[in-house]
Amino acid sequence: MRTVPLRYRAAALLAVAVGLLWVAPALSQETVVVRAKLIQGEVPTDPAAPIWNTIAATEFPMSPQVHWQKRIGSVTAKSVKVRGVHNNKQIAFMVEYADPTQDPADAAALEFMVGDKKAHFAHGQPMGQVEGGPVNIWYWRNDTPAAADMSAQGFGTLKKQAQQDVQAKAVWKDEKTKVTFKERKLSLRKDPKGEVVKDPQTGNPIVDEDTKVAEQEVSGVWRVVFTRALTTTDKEDVQIQPGTFPNVAFAVWDGKKLESGDLKEAGSQKAVSSWWYINAEPPPDYSIYLYGLIAVVLAAGVEFVIIRKVKKGQPA
Amino acid sequence: MRGPSLAVKGGILLAAVFVALKFVLPLLTAPLPMSLIYLYLFLTIIGIVVYGTLSGESTEALLGPIFRFLSGEGIGGAVKSARLAVLVLFPLLVGWQTYGGLAPNTQPPAESRTIHPAPPGEFVGLSNPLPNTPENVMMGTGLYAAYCLPCHGPKFNGNGAASDGFNPPPANFADPGTIAMLQESYLFWRIKKGGVGLSVEGHPWKSAMPRWEVELSDDQIWKIIMAEYAGAGQKPRTWE
């Protein structure tokens, strides 16, 4: 039986290690960035367009809005899956999330920082020591035909812009989807005899916490597609340049009507995320390969000249 | 017996400085940016060149091996192979660096957030005006349950049910690297002014911590602080 020489095995191992180092950041980054893939032709405005099935989604966990009044304890949307495409003129984002019921007041929104100044994710509210900037909000609501292009810089300043640049189309389907979330269980610690164990210092019962990632099958999915030009003439809008990393945050409202007549989620009572990133894939630039090649030739030329010079002046 | 030449010693020193700055220093403190590491390596090279060119003899000791290596005269065996590898790899490395510098960045900007930025002067050195009695701790625990528990959790570990979507996550008070290394006055500032009260290096635009001064009195905040230390089994840092 032929054996592979040690040096080839070592080279193969090295290649695998380098490959892993290369791939690892690419795998990990997809939890923080929505990659809007560059496509040819029109961007899809329909959530049912087949192209969405070819685009990788990035999933972002959602939290109940607890930052300011009026808060909410738990929300329907535990996460959102977001996909993006653009054609160098228009950009489209599809936000997908589980919601068991289709209600008129169901709504979703994307939020972006506008300009160079950092804005707080809660409607760009003022910060104590940092001069913040405004935010641009793309808002869709099920019972409203058109999307809203909005601006805010602090609580109570949310307004619809004079120039409306955003379109949205949504489809709710009664299909099954899997939702992953953190399941937390608290239990009193007990000894083998079944007696509650108490903290020897405080005398209080010791509580154990068990947290695990659980998966639940839910019927009902919203898919909302927002579209807009990458750049607009409106100074209140986010301007999306391919290759850059603008910040984005998400919000979702379950507009289900409760027995009390109130909506389950409305206004500030909603599911929210912190700031993440979008990245519109830049068009391919083949000139960088040419410049790399020129650099190789120049470096080899310099090397040649130096060696020649050294050989001529080599001390005996 | 002759030891390694000055050129080899210089190469070893350069490699040692790189390893120390890149891999050893991060074990002790924050990692240095590569631009700073390159600057230190450049300064090291300058030092080696200055030392190596102090006299004609040292110049030959420093540059002789380099020149012989480059010219290929008088070398053989493994050194000859190494020379060939260097001559081939150098232009490829330059080409790769050029490509890397021009290729579009696929990673989001690095975020070096300071976890515990310095508080404003008015919050430095404040003492808890309330006595640490079981009653006050109990009242603070009740307030914690009402206002803080959804994010910071029943176990004071930042694992509340409302924490999943927030980045950065709520602080884990049970971790010895959080409230145990802070004074009560620091917590008072963070609770009272919330995330938006942070300085720029604390990335206030990402923090979901509410500005509790809008809803809670100072006394209530001090009681919550007592409850957090008691619940997390920690003690506030003191100067004594």
Side-chain angles (χ1 to χ4, degrees), chain A residues 112-183:
Chain A
F112 303 90
M113 290 186 193
V114 178
D116 297 331
K117 287 177 186 161
K118 293 288 187 185
H120 194 273
F121 77 90
H123 284 199
Q125 66 162 309
M127 292 173 274
Q129 302 184 56
V130 182
E131 190 189 354
V135 292
N136 179 200
I137 295 170
W138 302 0
Y139 177 78
W140 158 85
R141 186 172 146 132
N142 189 24
D143 59 3
T144 311
D149 193 1
M150 307 169 93
S151 292
Q153 191 167 7
F155 300 134
T157 65
L158 185 67
K159 65 175 174 61
K160 212 169 168 180
Q161 294 178 3
Q163 187 176 322
Q164 291 290 301
D165 297 297
V166 179
Q167 297 83 43
K169 187 176 177 184
V171 170
W172 183 87
K173 275 197 170 180
D174 187 15
E175 66 181 40
K176 290 192 188 311
T177 186
K178 283 182 178 167
V179 178
T180 53
F181 61 96
K182 276 189 187 171
E183 192 176 56

Side-chain angles (χ1 to χ4, degrees), chain A residues 29 35 63 67 128 184 207 277, chain B residues 107 111 155 162 164-165 196 208:
Chain A
Q29 75 199 7
R35 305 273 174 189
S63 276
H67 182 64
R184 299 167 172 86
V207 179
Y277 296 99
Chain B
Q107 300 294 322
E111 294 181 344
K155 298 278 286 180
D164 296 343
V196 292

Side-chain angles (χ1 to χ4, degrees), chain B residues 180-204:
Chain B
M181 57 185 286
L182 298 168
Q183 292 182 294
E184 284 180 288
S185 56
Y186 194 96
L187 272 70
F188 184 70
W189 166 54
R190 294 290 287 108
I191 297 171
K192 190 177 172 80
K193 295 295 179 184
V196 292
L198 287 165
S199 50
V200 65
E201 64 269 24
H203 290 196

Side-chain angles (χ1 to χ4, degrees), chain A residues 22 29 35 61 63 67 69 71 119-121 128-129 184 207 209 211 245 274-275 277 288 295 303 310-311 314, chain B residues 71 87 90 96 98 106-107 111 155 157 159-160 162 164-167 196-197 204-205 207-210 212 215:
Chain A
W22 207 283
Q29 75 199 7
R35 305 273 174 189
S63 276
H67 182 64
Q69 296 170 304
R71 301 186 176 86
H120 194 273
F121 77 90
Q129 302 184 56
R184 299 167 172 86
V207 179
E209 184 179 48
T211 305
F245 288 86
S274 301
W275 286 123
Y277 296 99
I288 55 174
E303 209 174 62
V310 166
K311 277 187 173 177
Q314 180 75 43
Chain B
S71 67
L87 295 184
F90 175 70
W96 179 250
T98 307
T106 59
Q107 300 294 322
E111 294 181 344
K155 298 278 286 180
N157 58 1
N159 190 29
D164 296 343
F166 294 130
N167 171 40
V196 292
W205 52 87
S207 173
M209 177 74 180
W212 287 115
E215 298 167 60

